[in-house]
């Protein structure tokens, strides 16, 4: 086991003529909680989507737990679907717009993939789901359908659903930006609790600066497809070295 | 003849009409799913077959299709050295199902495309296989979306069964024609026939509404 | 022999070529029946739409029930009804006219819904805006409602035109010599159904493709917004 769990090596991502990630390099250590901040369009979410294999890459190599994600074999040929399936099992994702399955109850949302994909028995999957619902504070909502829940509750189900697959790495793609302000807190509390109590590796794209500062071991500031500045939350938020970082933090603080 | 004497033969025909409607609607729904999903497939061959089927059967007339299956297909078989003579009931059910299936395929396709992209991303993130995604995520969400159109198509199909009387299948319309030839009492017989179709359509519509409610239950729970 | 043309059964290809003119005569009848039936559907549908929108239930309710009845009963039975029952009341129409009327009746149930949906889509605020501008009822209708309703209505109506075209073969049951009937007669007389009926299918495909392409072109020419008030 290596200490590094995620490694981006000169990763290039383009959408048509637009280069979203420009030879991006960074690493994440096992168990580390890393926040990614930056202006919209800077490629933050794309990093998560590449890791979740929702988007392919045009250049470079992404490594997850010592194995290339989008490539396989000694010659680094493009990954097959079977390889992607194997790699994907190590990651989980919490989406900005929850993406719960509207036709399944809360319980079913959480048990469906463990049963279908991991081959767990219904009973084992339910036991795991009950535990997770307890963790996110929704033990009494198991029989409801997503549309019967508030946005904050839905996102907490989304977190439980991702955790049910026992990923090594959990990706949060702006988990609170689709929520009404008064519901943000309950979701952040759950994420904070996870960060404190679990040795899960967490990658969080967020606009909640105060929260990023509280829970992160390290913060990456993204700008134009590159990491413009990185450091401990203390350093980056109180003494940024780059003009762009200062500018960005200034504008965010003015808004907030 | 009193109008009540028309009832037994008409009801005999009504039973044939009901059977034709049920068989061809069920078979048509299966074809609709196959072709609708086929049209969205990444496999070029599958897509081509689905598109060709949909275009041919939507682009020509049901009666042309029925006559082709009943009169022309046996000759095509002869030319190929095969016995493709089919009994009227098979030709009727096939023509109705193929026709309604082609229209239904577009409904299925539209409903599947209405499922949001985020659902596919979630399914992928949870490592569902494409087949699991289709059966556990796409279809259960798309089916309630299709139901209103399927209801209309089922009624359309009921009406279309009247055309099979033209290849001597003893459905309700065929029985009415026989009665009219025999009694010349056109007004009574056709009024009864129209009302019977109307009644059957109302029942079918109610049944499809019930089904629509059932498959879409999750949408309405607790609202 | 049919319509003064002779068929030549010496080979499949020459047979196909020799019967093509006859089928084209039938196609012309199909087109005429389509256009006439469509026209009747447009007129009758408008009448039903107006009646259904009537403020009095005594008017609107029977209109709704009647269009529902038209929509839920088979074209072929409606056609038989008109063909055999109308003469008993002294109304004797040529088979072609009866056929076109049956098409018009059946599809008027559908077109009335298109009118209703098209007018409803324009909504109350447009009417209120027109009233605020002090436009008369007639001017509101001709200058505000119709120009906005037409682009919404035309595509749906176009689909029904194509549907009517595909239903014309039903008219063969009352002896109308439309294209399928011609193909069938050729089959009956030459004992070869495969070639005439396949040709009819192919010609139908061409007709619906041409009609759909024409309708798409018409749709793209229609103004979608910013219709100036003259």
């Amino acid at each position: 086991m290596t200490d590094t769990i995620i490694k981006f090596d000169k990763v290039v991502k383009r959408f048509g003529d637009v280069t979203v990630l420009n030879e991006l390099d960074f690493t994440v250590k096992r168990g580390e909680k890393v926040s990614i901040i930056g202006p919209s369009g800077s490629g933050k979410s794309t990093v998560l989507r590449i890791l979740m294999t929702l988007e392919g890459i045009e250049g470079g190599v992404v490594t997850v737990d010592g194995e290339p994600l989008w490539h396989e074999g000694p010659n680094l040929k493009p990954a097959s679907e079977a390889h992607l399936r194997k790699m994907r099992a190590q990651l989980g994702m919490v989406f900005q717009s929850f993406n719960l399955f509207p036709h399944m109850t809360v319980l079913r949302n959480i048990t469906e993939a463990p049963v279908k994909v991991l081959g767990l028995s219904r009973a084992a999957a339910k036991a795991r789901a009950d535990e997770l619902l307890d963790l996110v504070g929704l033990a009494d909502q198991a029989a409801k359908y997503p549309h019967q829940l508030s946005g904050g509750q839905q996102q907490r189900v989304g977190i439980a659903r991702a955790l049910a697959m026992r990923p090594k790495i959990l990706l949060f793609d702006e988990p609170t930006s689709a929520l009404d302000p008064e519901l943000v807190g309950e979701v952040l509390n759950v994420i904070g609790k996870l960060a404190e109590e679990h040795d899960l590796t967490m990658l969080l794209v967020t606009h909640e600066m105060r929260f990023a500062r509280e829970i992160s071991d390290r913060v990456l500031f993204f700008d134009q497809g590159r990491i413009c500045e990185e450091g401990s939350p203390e350093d980056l938020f109180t003494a940024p070295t780059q003009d762009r970082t200062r500018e960005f933090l200034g504008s965010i603080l003015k808004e907030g | 003849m009193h109008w009540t004497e028309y009832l037994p033969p008409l009801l005999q025909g009504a039973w044939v009409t009901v059977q034709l409607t049920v068989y061809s609607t069920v078979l048509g729904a299966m074809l609709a799913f196959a072709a609708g999903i086929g049209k969205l497939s990444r496999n070029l061959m599958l897509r081509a077959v689905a598109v060709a089927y949909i275009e041919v059967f939507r682009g020509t007339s049901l009666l042309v299709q029925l006559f082709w299956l009943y009169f022309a297909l046996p000759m095509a078989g002869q030319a190929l050295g095969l016995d493709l003579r089919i009994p009227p009931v098979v030709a009727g059910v096939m023509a109705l199902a193929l026709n309604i299936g082609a229209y239904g395929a577009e409904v299925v396709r539209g409903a599947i495309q209405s499922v949001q992209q985020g659902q596919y991303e979630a399914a992928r993130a949870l490592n569902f296989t494409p087949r699991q995604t289709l059966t556990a995520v796409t279809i259960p969400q798309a089916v309630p979306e299709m139901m209103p159109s399927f209801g209309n198509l089922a009624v359309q199909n009921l009406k279309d069964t009247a055309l099979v009387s033209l290849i001597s299948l003893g459905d309700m319309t065929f029985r009415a024609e026989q009665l009219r030839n025999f009694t010349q009492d056109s007004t009574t017989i056709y009024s009864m026939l129209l009302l019977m179709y109307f009644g059957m359509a109302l029942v079918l519509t109610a049944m499809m509404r019930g089904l629509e409610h059932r498959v879409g239950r999750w949408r309405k729970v607790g609202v | 022999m049919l319509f003064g043309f002779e068929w030549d059964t010496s080979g499949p290809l020459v047979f196909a070529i020799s019967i093509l003119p006859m089928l084209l005569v039938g196609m012309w009848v199909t087109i005429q029946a389509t256009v006439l039936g469509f026209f009747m559907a447009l007129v009758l549908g408008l009448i039903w739409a107006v009646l259904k929108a009537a403020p009095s239930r005594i008017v609107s309710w029977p209109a709704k029930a009647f269009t529902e009845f038209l929509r839920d009963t088979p074209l072929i039975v409606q056609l038989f009804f008109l063909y055999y029952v109308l003469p008993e009341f002294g109304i004797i129409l040529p088979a072609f006219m009866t056929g076109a009327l049956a098409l018009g009746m059946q599809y008027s149930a559908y077109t009335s819904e298109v009118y209703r949906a098209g007018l409803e889509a324009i909504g109350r605020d447009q009417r209120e805006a027109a009233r605020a501008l002090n436009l008369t009822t007639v001017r509101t209708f001709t200058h505000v409602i119709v120009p906005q309703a037409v682009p919404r209505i035309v595509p749906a109506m176009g689909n029904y035109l194509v549907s009517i075209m595909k239903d014309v073969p039903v008219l063969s049951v009352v002896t109308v010599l439309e294209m399928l009937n011609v193909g069938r007669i050729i089959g009956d007389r030459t004992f070869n159904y495969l070639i005439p009926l396949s040709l009819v299918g192919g010609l139908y495909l061409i007709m619906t493709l041409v009609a759909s392409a024409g309708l798409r072109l018409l749709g793209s020419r229609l103004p979608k917004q910013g219709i100036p008030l003259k």
Side-chain angles (χ1 to χ4, degrees):
Chain A
M1 282 230 276
T2 53
D3 200 30
T4 301
I5 195 161
I6 298 171
K7 182 161 185 257
F8 272 54
D9 185 9
K10 292 197 167 31
V11 171
V12 178
K13 173 69 192 172
R14 292 189 203 94
F15 288 110
D17 299 339
V18 185
T19 303
V20 185
L21 299 182
N22 189 5
E23 304 208 335
L24 177 69
D25 289 318
F26 78 94
T27 57
V28 175
K29 289 206 286 287
R30 192 179 302 280
E32 205 178 10
K33 325 292 180 210
V34 176
S35 291
I36 303 178
I37 61 169
S40 42
S42 59
K44 324 181 285 281
S45 288
T46 307
V47 169
L48 299 194
R49 293 173 60 80
I50 288 171
L51 279 166
M52 198 62 256
T53 70
L54 302 175
E55 308 274 3
I57 55 176
E58 272 74 48
V61 178
V62 177
T63 312
V64 172
D65 208 4
E67 226 183 313
L69 177 66
W70 282 101
H71 303 87
E72 61 184 311
N75 306 327
L76 291 184
K77 65 180 170 68
S80 64
E81 184 55 33
H83 177 78
L84 288 177
R85 278 183 65 74
K86 190 186 81 185
M87 296 301 289
R88 220 181 270 141
Q90 308 179 61
L91 297 128
M93 188 158 184
V94 175
F95 296 91
Q96 181 176 351
S97 43
F98 331 138
N99 297 351
L100 295 183
F101 301 127
H103 59 295
M104 297 180 191
T105 60
V106 165
L107 182 68
R108 193 78 191 261
N109 259 284
I110 302 172
T111 56
E112 189 74 2
V115 170
K116 287 237 159 80
V117 179
L118 304 180
L120 255 63
S121 71
R122 284 256 164 233
K126 182 176 181 309
R128 185 185 283 193
D130 287 341
E131 237 168 76
L132 290 168
L133 281 172
D134 226 21
L135 176 77
V136 299
L138 292 172
D140 50 345
Q141 309 286 338
K144 291 200 173 162
Y145 284 93
H147 70 257
Q148 296 174 277
L149 305 181
S150 73
Q153 291 174 318
Q154 290 190 43
Q155 190 58 296
R156 287 188 275 153
V157 175
I159 294 169
R161 181 177 70 173
L163 285 171
M165 297 298 281
R166 299 267 160 96
K168 294 180 196 162
I169 303 163
L170 194 50
L171 310 168
F172 294 87
D173 188 7
E174 307 198 24
T176 57
S177 42
L179 295 175
D180 293 335
E182 72 270 21
L183 302 175
V184 168
E186 60 187 69
V187 172
L188 294 184
N189 280 341
V190 168
I191 301 174
K193 196 157 77 173
L194 271 179
E196 245 172 64
E197 298 172 4
H198 292 256
D199 49 5
L200 208 59
T201 306
M202 286 170 48
L203 222 59
L204 172 76
V205 169
T206 187
H207 292 296
E208 299 287 334
M209 294 306 147
R210 198 184 313 151
F211 181 69
R213 188 170 171 174
E214 270 172 36
I215 69 144
S216 310
D217 301 319
R218 196 151 53 97
V219 179
L220 311 179
F221 172 66
F222 259 66
D223 193 39
Q224 296 175 343
R226 280 173 170 276
I227 293 170
C228 178
E229 182 169 356
E230 66 167 294
S232 72
E234 257 344 276
D235 292 346
L236 197 122
F237 285 113
T238 52
T241 58
Q242 304 289 316
D243 289 346
R244 282 291 297 134
T245 320
R246 264 193 294 276
E247 216 175 287
F248 173 75
L249 290 174
S251 70
I252 288 278
L253 290 177
K254 244 179 277 159
E255 275 172 33
Chain B
M1 263 171 101
H2 193 252
W3 69 270
T4 50
E5 290 174 67
Y6 300 145
L7 270 177
L10 284 181
L11 286 174
Q12 241 175 19
W15 176 233
V16 176
T17 296
V18 167
Q19 286 175 305
L20 282 169
T21 307
V22 170
Y23 293 147
S24 58
T25 302
V26 171
L27 194 60
M30 289 195 262
L31 284 166
F33 271 93
I37 293 167
K39 193 172 173 179
L40 294 170
S41 162
R42 252 173 268 165
N43 183 322
L44 190 69
M45 262 301 286
L46 258 177
R47 210 163 62 226
V49 170
V51 169
Y53 160 64
I54 294 168
E55 291 302 317
V56 165
F57 281 87
R58 278 167 55 103
T60 57
S61 162
L62 170 59
L63 204 48
V64 175
Q65 292 153 24
L66 181 67
F67 282 2
W68 197 92
L69 283 177
Y70 190 62
F71 295 111
L73 184 64
M75 295 199 167
Q78 225 168 29
L80 298 167
L82 298 167
D83 185 7
L84 293 180
R85 282 173 300 174
I86 46 180
V89 64
V90 176
V93 170
M94 267 176 67
L96 289 167
L98 284 165
N99 189 261
I100 215 78
Y103 286 92
E106 288 293 299
V107 174
V108 170
R109 183 191 55 80
I112 285 179
Q113 283 181 322
S114 76
V115 175
Q116 288 180 2
Q117 188 57 31
Q119 294 291 311
Y120 295 111
E121 293 186 353
R124 200 167 153 93
L126 294 169
N127 229 347
F128 284 130
T129 62
R131 182 182 291 263
Q132 286 168 339
T133 305
L134 187 68
T135 56
V137 178
T138 312
I139 301 234
Q141 291 187 49
V143 165
E145 201 67 36
M146 317 170 183
M147 284 313 293
S149 299
F150 268 15
N152 291 337
L153 285 176
V155 172
Q156 182 66 47
N157 204 24
L158 165 67
K159 295 197 297 175
D160 284 343
T161 57
L163 293 179
V164 302
S165 63
L166 301 178
I167 55 168
S168 332
L169 252 170
D171 77 320
M172 205 153 70
T173 303
F174 185 81
R175 297 286 177 200
E177 267 295 278
Q178 281 182 323
L179 283 174
R180 189 197 58 79
N181 277 329
F182 186 63
T183 65
Q184 298 300 319
D185 186 5
S186 315
T187 313
T188 314
I189 293 168
Y190 285 126
S191 299
M192 285 172 74
L193 184 61
L194 283 169
L195 285 172
M196 287 171 81
Y197 272 113
F198 189 42
M200 287 165 90
L202 292 181
V203 171
L204 184 58
T205 304
M207 281 167 54
M208 292 305 282
R209 289 256 165 80
L211 192 62
E212 181 181 338
H213 185 76
R214 239 187 98 75
V215 297
R217 231 174 352 188
W218 53 269
R219 290 174 158 188
K220 297 189 183 89
V221 173
V223 177
Chain C
M1 197 179 92
L2 194 64
F3 308 128
F5 299 106
E6 291 284 352
W7 44 68
D8 178 349
T9 53
S10 58
L13 190 62
V14 286
F15 181 54
I17 292 167
S18 72
I19 62 171
L20 197 56
M22 308 171 205
L23 293 175
L24 290 177
V25 172
M27 188 200 264
W28 178 233
V29 175
T30 299
I31 292 169
Q32 287 174 309
T34 304
V35 171
L36 190 60
F38 184 57
F39 177 73
M40 289 188 191
L42 289 181
V43 174
L44 291 170
L46 188 58
I47 296 171
W48 311 145
V50 170
L51 291 178
K52 283 201 277 190
S56 160
R57 282 230 191 115
I58 300 167
V59 180
S60 69
W61 205 85
K64 277 178 195 161
F66 182 60
T67 50
E68 194 60 44
F69 181 78
L70 286 178
R71 194 212 315 274
D72 282 351
T73 48
L75 171 64
I76 186 171
V77 180
Q78 292 175 10
L79 177 61
F80 278 142
F81 187 90
L82 293 175
Y83 190 70
Y84 291 111
V85 174
L86 284 186
E88 291 189 7
F89 295 91
I91 304 166
I92 296 166
L93 293 172
F96 177 81
M97 292 304 288
T98 312
L101 182 61
L103 286 169
M105 290 286 268
Q106 168 102 145
Y107 278 91
S108 68
Y110 296 99
T111 57
S112 74
E113 274 306 292
V114 177
Y115 286 121
R116 192 191 55 75
L119 293 176
E120 263 177 19
I122 291 156
R124 183 179 295 237
D125 42 345
Q126 287 286 317
R127 273 164 239 235
E128 280 171 1
R131 185 164 314 153
L133 292 169
N134 221 355
L135 295 180
T136 63
T137 309
V138 173
R139 257 183 105 75
T140 303
F141 193 74
T142 56
H143 284 70
V144 179
I145 295 177
V146 169
Q148 292 187 72
V150 165
R152 288 168 218 266
I153 286 174
V154 168
M157 291 300 188
N159 290 337
Y160 287 128
L161 177 75
V162 178
S163 295
I164 289 176
M165 184 188 278
K166 286 183 280 190
D167 269 345
V168 170
V170 174
L171 274 49
S172 65
V173 299
V174 294
T175 72
V176 173
L177 279 174
E178 49 69 51
M179 188 161 61
L180 179 63
N181 204 0
V182 173
R184 198 157 159 218
I185 289 170
I186 296 169
D188 287 342
R189 299 214 192 139
T190 61
F191 301 101
N192 182 345
Y193 289 101
L194 181 59
I195 289 170
L197 291 185
S198 301
L199 273 177
V200 170
L203 289 171
Y204 247 105
L205 215 48
I206 293 170
M207 282 204 295
T208 52
L209 285 176
V210 169
S212 304
L215 287 166
R216 258 202 305 281
L217 190 69
L218 180 67
S220 66
R221 290 273 175 90
L222 281 173
K224 296 242 162 19
Q225 53 198 350
I227 303 142
L229 284 173
K230 268 189 247 160

